[in-house]
Amino acid sequence: MSLLRHIHACNTYRPERFLPLFFAGERVGFVRRDNAEVLRRFPRVIEVAAGSLRILPQDDGAAVTAALDEVVEVLVAEGLISKWRDEVFAIAPRWAEAPLFTLDRGAVSFFGVRAHGVHLNGYRRIRGRIWLWIGRRNPAKVVAPGKLDNMVAGGIGGGLGALATLVKEAGEEASVPASLIAQAHAASAVTYKMEVPQGLRDDVLFVYDLETPDDFEPRNTDGEIVEFMLMEAREALARVRDTEDFKFNVNLILIDFALRHGLVTPEEPEYLELLAGLRAGGA
């Protein structure tokens, strides 16, 4: 089996199947061609041309958000979009720029807009070896039920930055105290573009590492994780290589961790492809 297969699985975007989505002169998404045909029904909100789509200008960002919400509500009623807890993502052409509008999380892949998230590798050193805190996702989760996961992970909702999201998710998902999460450091970022049944996941995952003390054990409080376990990092990497035990994008986070901590070396034939593939989704 191959580590690289997971990178290939998360980068299935084919440009010929999508049209760029613009707003105010900026590309903000990629809409699959069949979804573009659906959006022709909303000419007062979205203009669909031969080679692109354009969100029509409104009075301000709030009005754009409201107009798109009306479209989303129709598509939800028709079963084309599944709303996601009424959580919104801020949509901007580039990271850290002022948002142009917000969009319900459930509609993000339909419009192919970029989403950002955080992942935390919690780890310990035991007898000279690295062990990772691994969570098991609740079997009731819509995405990747029952799969193995990082100690902490979550999407960056509207109004929050990466660090604020990390602090929030670490408290909810693993009961990490503020004094400990303050020791986490930003280590990397992973990007990918993955076609999914609803459209396109264009994701950026900001990766943090945290070496946890011997007396720390994560505890979940929001019901998303049903158990935590310590797993030797080499065993986790072997399971990434040989199984489908982990959530699809967590495989990429663990490959990134292994590369940075010397668990995968240049002797690995796929080494250079792995390094490049973790940023295949672009900046």
Side-chain angles (χ1 to χ4, degrees):
M1 301 291 278
S2 165
L3 295 174
L4 195 60
R5 66 194 169 90
H6 294 296
I7 289 174
H8 291 160
C10 287
N11 286 280
T12 54
Y13 165 69
R14 288 183 287 165
E16 68 275 11
R17 290 178 54 80
F18 291 82
L19 296 174
L21 173 67
F22 291 92
F23 176 68
E26 299 276 8
R27 190 202 55 82
V28 294
F30 290 106
V31 179
R32 200 168 55 205
R33 289 178 181 271
D34 58 333
N35 290 342
E37 290 304 310
V38 172
L39 293 175
R40 287 187 186 277
R41 294 158 44 197
F42 307 95
R44 289 183 295 179
V45 181
I46 298 174
E47 177 184 80
V48 181
S52 66
L53 294 84
R54 183 170 66 100
I55 300 171
L56 298 178
Q58 308 289 332
D59 292 338
D60 52 29
V64 175
T65 295
L68 288 172
D69 278 348
E70 291 182 7
V71 174
V72 169
E73 290 294 344
V74 173
L75 300 180
V76 168
E78 296 177 353
L80 297 174
I81 289 177
S82 300
K83 292 197 75 173
W84 191 299
R85 302 190 302 271
D86 292 319
E87 182 181 356
V88 298
F89 277 8
I91 308 304
R94 284 163 290 277
W95 171 248
E97 291 190 352
L100 301 172
F101 55 88
T102 64
L103 188 67
D104 189 278
R105 183 172 181 174
V108 163
S109 60
F110 188 92
F111 289 92
V113 297
R114 172 155 276 188
H116 299 83
V118 295
H119 280 246
L120 177 68
N121 295 301
Y123 68 97
R124 284 176 57 185
R125 296 183 189 273
I126 303 174
R127 296 185 295 278
R129 296 182 178 181
I130 298 176
W131 294 66
L132 286 159
W133 282 110
I134 300 296
R136 185 176 298 280
R137 295 167 64 82
N138 192 315
K141 293 280 288 182
V142 174
V143 177
K147 293 283 189 177
L148 300 181
D149 207 336
N150 286 115
M151 187 173 86
V152 174
I156 299 176
L160 289 180
L163 182 57
T165 300
L166 178 68
V167 171
K168 171 181 174 292
E169 296 291 337
E172 293 174 353
E173 292 193 358
S175 300
V176 183
S179 59
L180 180 55
I181 198 63
Q183 299 175 38
H185 67 275
S188 185
V190 168
T191 69
Y192 60 88
K193 287 187 175 71
M194 178 183 187
E195 184 170 350
V196 294
Q198 192 168 279
L200 181 72
R201 289 188 65 133
D202 180 2
D203 288 352
V204 176
L205 307 179
F206 296 112
V207 184
Y208 291 78
D209 287 353
L210 173 64
E211 185 168 0
T212 62
D214 293 348
D215 61 354
F216 171 77
E217 183 171 346
R219 289 183 305 102
N220 182 255
T221 63
D222 63 4
E224 295 196 6
I225 298 293
V226 295
E227 65 172 329
F228 285 103
M229 65 195 83
L230 267 177
M231 183 182 298
E232 190 174 352
R234 291 190 181 278
E235 179 189 344
L237 185 64
R239 291 177 73 162
V240 169
R241 187 188 299 273
D242 298 331
T243 76
E244 302 296 332
D245 291 348
F246 284 92
K247 179 174 179 265
F248 67 95
N249 55 9
V250 174
N251 290 302
L252 307 192
I253 304 302
L254 293 178
I255 293 169
D256 176 74
F257 183 89
L259 286 163
R260 291 187 289 102
H261 289 265
L263 304 178
V264 177
T265 69
E267 280 62 45
E268 166 70 50
E270 297 174 341
Y271 186 80
L272 293 177
E273 292 176 274
L274 291 169
L275 285 172
L278 292 172
R279 283 88 192 169

